[in-house]
Amino acid sequence: MSSLTVELTAPNGVKYTQPTGLFINNEWVASSKGNKITSINPTDESEIASVHAAEPEDVDKAVEAARAAFKGPWRDMATTERGDLMINLAGLIDQNKEVLATIETWDNGKPYSVALNEDLAEVAGCMKYYGGWADKIHGQVIDTSPAKLAYTIREPIGVCGQIIPWNYPLAMAAWKLGPAIACGNTVVLKSAEQTPLSILVFANLVKEAGFPPGVINIINGHGRVAGAAMAQHPGIDKIAFTGSTSTGREIMKMASLTMKNITLETGGKSPLLVFDDADLDQAVKWSHVGIMSNMGQICTATSRILVQESIYDKFIEAFKKQVTETSKVGDPFKDETFQGPQVTKAQYERVLGYIDTGKSEGATLAMGGEAYKNVGEGKGFFVSPTVFTNVKDSMRIFREEVFGPFVVVVSFKDEEEALALANDTTYGLGSALFTKDIVKAHRVARKIEAGMVWINSSQDSDYRIPFGGVKQSGIGRELGEAGLEAYTNKKAVHVNLGTWL
Ligand code: NAI
Ligand code: MG
């Protein structure tokens, strides 16, 4: 439908056709009430485009389409054919990566070079990886006695509802779509209202790749309307969610009504430990990447840096120098920019609010701590990279997820205190530690309460490796072979070969 598109020219000159409807059954449809979500460019606060926002009745339509596709072509399609479609899609993503990366940068504010070389590479790579898995998923024969043949079948779960956040719009979609469709599920995916645009261009590629109608349905919509309708929907068998811990909790509650299978990937306040025997230069570099990348909007951001007291002052000086030299704030389309704006006004105000909290709690503001107004005409949601020192474990800035270029640096005496501080959190997503002592490195890695540990690094992530949290950072794992577990049921079949005596 031609009225469900708009011709756009991005700030970097890229021209493209932006779909604005709901992608259901491989067709573009308007939302039932005509309500829209308007997307804002966080760099200059201008409006980019308005897209249709799904109502509960639109979610119903998407679920019906997904159910029909599940029972129809998809569940029983030859697995190699299913994998081929995914690999086609991966190829199309790669061919269209410039336009997709442009939209990510325009809508989200992340640096274009990162969107292109990291996010889009991951989106295509993840789709290809799971395309490769599609015909390698199998059950087992479990030997018990000659009288019985027992085996398992890995079955798809059914219709999966996937609710994603705005910090990595396309990558979060790929992490969820890849394993779900490889296993033979069909999907209704809702993207975040802050970044609704790139996924709609991606939807056109789904159709072009040759996927049957209804296998992948993509909608925009408000969390409390469309997201909540998905979480409660009797026709949805599984909900996978990435976002805040409080929303994750609400989704879990709603999903309990029909006892849906769930995977939740939520917040974090991940520690990074620097022991006095570490390579200080490396520790400083990774500490910077670990919190300032993606404007600090990473669920695994190592936002609490814990440094052994004998090297604390030295570390702070070197870290401040690293941030000053590397974290260039600016227009995300410019090559030299390391840090673009926060995604929305709400996130920007949230980070500024935590800066006030840190000051009033009595921590020392070592650098940054204010809005950054030197980009363009002074608009946009930019925040100076912010470092607080002399932080105590009782402070809110030590305990709560800020989700911005905002880090607290705390000192510890010895390994025991380092671990106590690291684990003194309700979260358990990422963690990092720096030491040259391999025995200590592996000992500490085992004792940290987290889903992931980086030794002498921070933020390594790879679609072949499981990703997820413990404690209130989530339930279940995404990526790698573990990601397939989240999208299959194991059916046990007992064949009686004996005779009743
Ligand atoms: P959010 O968790 O509310 O939103 C994430 C997704 O959930 C969006 O698609 C949203 O539409 C949907 N949603 C919201 N309420 C819902 C509901 N009641 N039922 C179903 N779906 C719902 O996160 P928000 O408000 O965008 O950000 C707030 C904070 O959450 C951030 O400051 C950050 O601390 C954290 N966050 C963590 C992320 C992560 O990667 N773990 C990603 C985004 C946010
Ligand atoms: Mg936006």
Side-chain angles (χ1 to χ4, degrees), residues 38-42 48 106-109 193-197 343-344:
T38 298
S39 191
I40 304 290
N41 172 1
I48 303 175
W106 195 6
D107 204 7
N108 167 284
E193 42 274 64
Q194 296 84 352
T195 50
L197 302 178
V343 70
T344 54

PDB file of all heavy atoms in Angstrom, residues 38-42 48 106-109 193-197 343-344, ligand 2:
ATOM      1  N   THR A  38       5.676   8.937  16.805  1.00  0.00           N
ATOM      2  CA  THR A  38       6.566   9.827  16.051  1.00  0.00           C
ATOM      3  C   THR A  38       7.989   9.641  16.547  1.00  0.00           C
ATOM      4  O   THR A  38       8.257   9.738  17.747  1.00  0.00           O
ATOM      5  CB  THR A  38       6.133  11.293  16.219  1.00  0.00           C
ATOM      6  OG1 THR A  38       4.817  11.407  15.688  1.00  0.00           O
ATOM      7  CG2 THR A  38       7.063  12.234  15.462  1.00  0.00           C
ATOM      8  N   SER A  39       8.858   9.352  15.610  1.00  0.00           N
ATOM      9  CA  SER A  39      10.239   9.129  15.995  1.00  0.00           C
ATOM     10  C   SER A  39      11.041  10.424  15.908  1.00  0.00           C
ATOM     11  O   SER A  39      10.900  11.210  14.978  1.00  0.00           O
ATOM     12  CB  SER A  39      10.854   8.057  15.120  1.00  0.00           C
ATOM     13  OG  SER A  39      12.070   7.715  15.702  1.00  0.00           O
ATOM     14  N   ILE A  40      11.896  10.598  16.902  1.00  0.00           N
ATOM     15  CA  ILE A  40      12.668  11.834  17.047  1.00  0.00           C
ATOM     16  C   ILE A  40      14.144  11.550  16.795  1.00  0.00           C
ATOM     17  O   ILE A  40      14.669  10.522  17.222  1.00  0.00           O
ATOM     18  CB  ILE A  40      12.511  12.377  18.502  1.00  0.00           C
ATOM     19  CG1 ILE A  40      11.035  12.575  18.869  1.00  0.00           C
ATOM     20  CG2 ILE A  40      13.335  13.630  18.744  1.00  0.00           C
ATOM     21  CD1 ILE A  40      10.356  13.706  18.138  1.00  0.00           C
ATOM     22  N   ASN A  41      14.801  12.472  16.128  1.00  0.00           N
ATOM     23  CA  ASN A  41      16.244  12.403  15.961  1.00  0.00           C
ATOM     24  C   ASN A  41      16.891  12.979  17.235  1.00  0.00           C
ATOM     25  O   ASN A  41      16.784  14.183  17.492  1.00  0.00           O
ATOM     26  CB  ASN A  41      16.624  13.234  14.729  1.00  0.00           C
ATOM     27  CG  ASN A  41      18.125  13.391  14.563  1.00  0.00           C
ATOM     28  OD1 ASN A  41      18.903  12.860  15.360  1.00  0.00           O
ATOM     29  ND2 ASN A  41      18.528  14.117  13.533  1.00  0.00           N
ATOM     30  N   PRO A  42      17.565  12.144  18.019  1.00  0.00           N
ATOM     31  CA  PRO A  42      18.093  12.634  19.304  1.00  0.00           C
ATOM     32  C   PRO A  42      19.241  13.631  19.155  1.00  0.00           C
ATOM     33  O   PRO A  42      19.596  14.305  20.118  1.00  0.00           O
ATOM     34  CB  PRO A  42      18.575  11.351  19.996  1.00  0.00           C
ATOM     35  CG  PRO A  42      18.833  10.391  18.897  1.00  0.00           C
ATOM     36  CD  PRO A  42      17.869  10.720  17.803  1.00  0.00           C
ATOM     37  N   ILE A  48      11.456  12.731  12.713  1.00  0.00           N
ATOM     38  CA  ILE A  48      11.899  12.016  11.511  1.00  0.00           C
ATOM     39  C   ILE A  48      10.681  11.519  10.723  1.00  0.00           C
ATOM     40  O   ILE A  48      10.525  11.822   9.549  1.00  0.00           O
ATOM     41  CB  ILE A  48      12.817  10.820  11.860  1.00  0.00           C
ATOM     42  CG1 ILE A  48      14.024  11.283  12.670  1.00  0.00           C
ATOM     43  CG2 ILE A  48      13.246  10.111  10.582  1.00  0.00           C
ATOM     44  CD1 ILE A  48      14.916  10.153  13.156  1.00  0.00           C
ATOM     45  N   TRP A 106      20.425   7.672  12.761  1.00  0.00           N
ATOM     46  CA  TRP A 106      19.482   8.793  12.715  1.00  0.00           C
ATOM     47  C   TRP A 106      18.473   8.686  13.879  1.00  0.00           C
ATOM     48  O   TRP A 106      18.207   9.662  14.585  1.00  0.00           O
ATOM     49  CB  TRP A 106      18.753   8.739  11.367  1.00  0.00           C
ATOM     50  CG  TRP A 106      18.018   9.979  10.976  1.00  0.00           C
ATOM     51  CD1 TRP A 106      18.015  11.178  11.623  1.00  0.00           C
ATOM     52  CD2 TRP A 106      17.184  10.121   9.830  1.00  0.00           C
ATOM     53  NE1 TRP A 106      17.220  12.066  10.938  1.00  0.00           N
ATOM     54  CE2 TRP A 106      16.707  11.439   9.830  1.00  0.00           C
ATOM     55  CE3 TRP A 106      16.804   9.250   8.790  1.00  0.00           C
ATOM     56  CZ2 TRP A 106      15.842  11.921   8.833  1.00  0.00           C
ATOM     57  CZ3 TRP A 106      15.953   9.732   7.797  1.00  0.00           C
ATOM     58  CH2 TRP A 106      15.475  11.056   7.826  1.00  0.00           C
ATOM     59  N   ASP A 107      17.970   7.506  14.075  1.00  0.00           N
ATOM     60  CA  ASP A 107      16.877   7.313  15.031  1.00  0.00           C
ATOM     61  C   ASP A 107      17.377   7.108  16.462  1.00  0.00           C
ATOM     62  O   ASP A 107      16.741   7.523  17.427  1.00  0.00           O
ATOM     63  CB  ASP A 107      16.065   6.084  14.586  1.00  0.00           C
ATOM     64  CG  ASP A 107      14.642   6.103  15.107  1.00  0.00           C
ATOM     65  OD1 ASP A 107      14.242   7.119  15.696  1.00  0.00           O
ATOM     66  OD2 ASP A 107      13.941   5.096  14.915  1.00  0.00           O
ATOM     67  N   ASN A 108      18.532   6.455  16.585  1.00  0.00           N
ATOM     68  CA  ASN A 108      19.030   6.084  17.921  1.00  0.00           C
ATOM     69  C   ASN A 108      20.131   7.019  18.411  1.00  0.00           C
ATOM     70  O   ASN A 108      20.285   7.204  19.627  1.00  0.00           O
ATOM     71  CB  ASN A 108      19.558   4.632  17.870  1.00  0.00           C
ATOM     72  CG  ASN A 108      20.374   4.244  19.075  1.00  0.00           C
ATOM     73  OD1 ASN A 108      21.535   4.656  19.202  1.00  0.00           O
ATOM     74  ND2 ASN A 108      19.796   3.503  19.996  1.00  0.00           N
ATOM     75  N   GLY A 109      20.928   7.575  17.483  1.00  0.00           N
ATOM     76  CA  GLY A 109      22.008   8.474  17.891  1.00  0.00           C
ATOM     77  C   GLY A 109      23.360   7.808  18.007  1.00  0.00           C
ATOM     78  O   GLY A 109      24.355   8.457  18.337  1.00  0.00           O
ATOM     79  N   GLU A 193       9.327   1.847  21.048  1.00  0.00           N
ATOM     80  CA  GLU A 193       8.705   3.054  20.488  1.00  0.00           C
ATOM     81  C   GLU A 193       9.713   4.184  20.255  1.00  0.00           C
ATOM     82  O   GLU A 193       9.452   5.083  19.466  1.00  0.00           O
ATOM     83  CB  GLU A 193       7.522   3.537  21.338  1.00  0.00           C
ATOM     84  CG  GLU A 193       7.673   3.523  22.848  1.00  0.00           C
ATOM     85  CD  GLU A 193       7.334   2.186  23.499  1.00  0.00           C
ATOM     86  OE1 GLU A 193       8.043   1.189  23.227  1.00  0.00           O
ATOM     87  OE2 GLU A 193       6.393   2.119  24.314  1.00  0.00           O
ATOM     88  N   GLN A 194      10.893   4.096  20.903  1.00  0.00           N
ATOM     89  CA  GLN A 194      11.915   5.141  20.729  1.00  0.00           C
ATOM     90  C   GLN A 194      12.652   4.988  19.398  1.00  0.00           C
ATOM     91  O   GLN A 194      13.221   5.943  18.890  1.00  0.00           O
ATOM     92  CB  GLN A 194      12.939   5.050  21.877  1.00  0.00           C
ATOM     93  CG  GLN A 194      12.385   5.332  23.256  1.00  0.00           C
ATOM     94  CD  GLN A 194      11.738   4.102  23.911  1.00  0.00           C
ATOM     95  OE1 GLN A 194      11.559   3.061  23.281  1.00  0.00           O
ATOM     96  NE2 GLN A 194      11.363   4.229  25.166  1.00  0.00           N
ATOM     97  N   THR A 195      12.697   3.755  18.868  1.00  0.00           N
ATOM     98  CA  THR A 195      13.457   3.483  17.633  1.00  0.00           C
ATOM     99  C   THR A 195      12.641   2.573  16.713  1.00  0.00           C
ATOM    100  O   THR A 195      12.967   1.407  16.532  1.00  0.00           O
ATOM    101  CB  THR A 195      14.792   2.773  17.971  1.00  0.00           C
ATOM    102  OG1 THR A 195      14.499   1.671  18.838  1.00  0.00           O
ATOM    103  CG2 THR A 195      15.778   3.701  18.644  1.00  0.00           C
ATOM    104  N   PRO A 196      11.576   3.125  16.124  1.00  0.00           N
ATOM    105  CA  PRO A 196      10.654   2.243  15.373  1.00  0.00           C
ATOM    106  C   PRO A 196      11.004   2.063  13.892  1.00  0.00           C
ATOM    107  O   PRO A 196      10.330   1.297  13.208  1.00  0.00           O
ATOM    108  CB  PRO A 196       9.327   3.013  15.497  1.00  0.00           C
ATOM    109  CG  PRO A 196       9.729   4.453  15.573  1.00  0.00           C
ATOM    110  CD  PRO A 196      11.073   4.488  16.267  1.00  0.00           C
ATOM    111  N   LEU A 197      12.039   2.723  13.385  1.00  0.00           N
ATOM    112  CA  LEU A 197      12.160   2.844  11.929  1.00  0.00           C
ATOM    113  C   LEU A 197      12.928   1.726  11.224  1.00  0.00           C
ATOM    114  O   LEU A 197      12.466   1.181  10.222  1.00  0.00           O
ATOM    115  CB  LEU A 197      12.793   4.207  11.577  1.00  0.00           C
ATOM    116  CG  LEU A 197      12.025   5.434  12.111  1.00  0.00           C
ATOM    117  CD1 LEU A 197      12.767   6.711  11.740  1.00  0.00           C
ATOM    118  CD2 LEU A 197      10.597   5.454  11.576  1.00  0.00           C
ATOM    119  N   VAL A 343      19.413   8.352  23.751  1.00  0.00           N
ATOM    120  CA  VAL A 343      18.396   8.018  22.751  1.00  0.00           C
ATOM    121  C   VAL A 343      17.174   8.938  22.778  1.00  0.00           C
ATOM    122  O   VAL A 343      16.604   9.245  21.724  1.00  0.00           O
ATOM    123  CB  VAL A 343      17.973   6.538  22.883  1.00  0.00           C
ATOM    124  CG1 VAL A 343      17.171   6.318  24.154  1.00  0.00           C
ATOM    125  CG2 VAL A 343      17.185   6.066  21.671  1.00  0.00           C
ATOM    126  N   THR A 344      16.780   9.372  23.971  1.00  0.00           N
ATOM    127  CA  THR A 344      15.573  10.204  24.086  1.00  0.00           C
ATOM    128  C   THR A 344      15.776  11.245  25.181  1.00  0.00           C
ATOM    129  O   THR A 344      16.691  11.148  26.000  1.00  0.00           O
ATOM    130  CB  THR A 344      14.338   9.372  24.525  1.00  0.00           C
ATOM    131  OG1 THR A 344      14.679   8.679  25.738  1.00  0.00           O
ATOM    132  CG2 THR A 344      13.903   8.382  23.469  1.00  0.00           C
TER     133      THR A 344
HETATM  134 MG    MG B   2      14.459   8.205  17.887  1.00  0.00          MG
END
